[in-house]
Amino acid sequence: MREIRFGIIGCGLMGREFASAAARWLHLTDTRAKPRIVAVCDTNPALMGWYAEHLGPMQQTTDYRELLANPEVDAVYCAVPHVLHAELYPAILAAGKHLLGEKPFGMDAAQNATIMAAIAAHPNLIVRCSSEMPFYPGAQRVIDFVKSGSIGPILEVEAAFLHSSDINPQKPLNWKRMASVNGEYGCMGDLGMHVLHVPLRLGWRPETVTASLVKRVPTRPDGKGGTLPCDTWDNATITATVPHADGAFPMVLKTWRIAPGEANTWSIRVLGMNGSAYFSTKQPRQWQFMRYTAGGPQAWATEDLGYTPLFPAITGGIFEFGFTDAIQQMWAAFIDELAGGDAHGFPCASPQEASAHHAVLTAALQAGKTGQSVKVAYA
């Protein structure tokens, strides 16, 4: 099997998730290639030892330039704070490496434009944005249901990503709560690609938006006995108007870091005149749908899907799919493209989708601050 050699820049939480997915690649039964991690980079040297301990000897460096100069590296996974995207992503491409980068592909629209220009200058390289939740089987069923035409004229779409940990005011400050590093989008920048990936993939591009932006925790502990300003938005509820041949419809996008009781919930709901569909990671093995004919009953059906991933695996179909599986499925899609495949018909989020999501978030930020409806200006 072909081997694709990866470098990881940013060795924190998500870097370890990729390393875990790569280490258990034998879990998958239908892949064109497999990843091997040959280099890691982080400004904190203490984070890199874990990789060598579990995956064997590899390049370890605190300077990303050294990793990019390594001729053994074919592709890079980059998981660094948003403010660094506009510096590192173009540098990765200039070094001739394929890229899977973390969202949001730039701290703001201006930084995203810099990244998009670099992508355009290197059309031979494959670039994708990390977004794993649509790889749940239930999410794929909702997508297929919509594509089949079963929805009919759309009444409303709702997509949400809900966290609850920030409800604790004693949770220490980190960079995602600092506008200078995370960006002024706040929760929208960190979670917006998650909620917009499926709508944009289905062609639902908001024309105008209004937004309710909420700040509830103005300061947080700094970990040194003091406090620092927590100056990003905690919650955002975006209401968009989406043009459609069957008539414009509303789309509600929720990116909440203070959602009481929600550990980490992603969901998509599509309501239509002929059919409706819903999936939530709260019930990872099920999806719900309704088919309606005029004068007929209105009854939701719930189907247990079990383990039915996009890329087949050794796990029996009676078992349950989870977050680590979604991560591996996302990586399988990216690596399938690197090996010349079509990602089984569902590639990872594209740079164009990341750019479109910036346009929506930029308009939502303005709408939330002014209380007005704002037209989305796509690049």
Side-chain angles (χ1 to χ4, degrees), residues 24-373:
R24 54 191 175 87
W25 207 252
L26 75 171
H27 187 78
L28 302 175
T29 61
D30 180 23
T31 59
R32 296 169 180 264
K34 62 181 180 181
R36 180 164 69 93
I37 298 170
V38 299
V40 292
C41 173
D42 200 284
T43 55
N44 181 358
L47 294 177
M48 292 185 280
W50 180 90
Y51 291 82
E53 177 184 351
H54 291 284
L55 301 177
M58 63 181 65
Q59 180 190 24
Q60 300 179 48
T61 177
T62 58
D63 187 342
Y64 74 85
R65 299 169 190 84
E66 293 180 358
L67 183 148
L68 296 182
N70 185 343
E72 291 198 358
V73 174
D74 302 313
V76 170
Y77 172 51
C78 190
V80 297
H82 304 166
V83 70
L84 298 176
H85 291 188
E87 174 188 347
L88 270 67
Y89 289 11
I92 292 166
L93 300 177
K97 316 297 187 185
H98 303 287
L99 169 65
L100 193 144
E102 274 298 332
K103 39 49 179 180
F105 262 54
M107 187 168 71
D108 53 29
Q111 288 195 3
N112 179 253
T114 297
I115 295 168
M116 294 300 290
I119 293 170
H122 298 87
N124 58 314
L125 297 175
I126 294 176
V127 182
R128 295 291 180 262
C129 179
S130 177
S131 175
E132 64 277 355
M133 295 304 187
F135 288 90
Y136 272 82
Q140 289 291 311
R141 290 299 180 94
V142 172
I143 292 166
D144 290 342
F145 194 77
V146 172
K147 287 183 174 180
S148 74
S150 298
I151 296 293
I154 298 172
L155 296 168
E156 183 181 79
V157 173
E158 180 182 275
F161 204 137
L162 309 176
H163 289 309
S164 63
S165 62
D166 279 12
I167 199 170
N168 176 12
Q170 297 305 312
K171 180 181 177 180
L173 185 75
N174 63 29
W175 66 264
K176 290 185 179 180
R177 282 77 182 165
M178 302 166 63
S180 62
V181 185
N182 175 89
E184 195 179 358
Y185 293 147
C187 60
M188 294 186 290
D190 195 42
L191 304 177
M193 191 71 242
H194 288 302
V195 299
L196 276 159
H197 184 174
V198 171
L200 291 172
R201 181 63 55 87
L202 292 172
W204 301 333
R205 288 164 62 99
E207 184 174 65
T208 60
V209 299
T210 59
S212 297
L213 307 181
V214 175
K215 286 183 183 179
R216 285 294 178 266
V217 184
T219 63
R220 287 191 178 275
D222 63 3
K224 301 175 183 179
T227 60
L228 286 171
C230 182
D231 58 0
T232 57
W233 300 104
D234 293 315
N235 290 353
T237 302
I238 304 169
T239 302
T241 299
V242 180
H244 195 274
D246 293 329
F249 61 86
M251 182 162 68
V252 179
L253 307 167
K254 293 184 176 182
T255 58
W256 286 25
R257 286 202 165 278
I258 303 178
E262 302 287 353
N264 193 66
T265 303
W266 181 93
S267 64
I268 180 78
R269 185 195 312 270
V270 185
L271 304 177
M273 291 294 291
N274 299 339
S276 299
Y278 173 70
F279 170 73
S280 169
T281 55
K282 271 185 175 292
Q283 294 84 33
R285 67 181 297 127
Q286 298 178 335
W287 76 300
Q288 295 177 300
F289 62 95
M290 177 193 298
R291 300 181 188 275
Y292 175 72
T293 56
Q298 301 176 42
W300 283 92
T302 300
E303 180 184 8
D304 267 26
L305 297 174
Y307 200 94
T308 53
L310 195 64
F311 287 82
I314 62 172
T315 300
I318 61 172
F319 298 116
E320 187 170 297
F321 190 95
F323 178 77
T324 55
D325 300 298
I327 289 284
Q328 189 173 55
Q329 289 288 311
M330 178 186 73
W331 276 104
F334 182 58
I335 288 168
D336 190 70
E337 283 198 278
L338 292 181
D342 68 350
H344 287 196
F346 194 80
C348 299
S350 70
Q352 293 73 28
E353 289 166 337
S355 176
H357 115 283
H358 266 280
V360 175
L361 300 191
T362 298
L365 183 60
Q366 181 183 350
K369 292 165 67 175
T370 64
Q372 298 177 337
S373 177

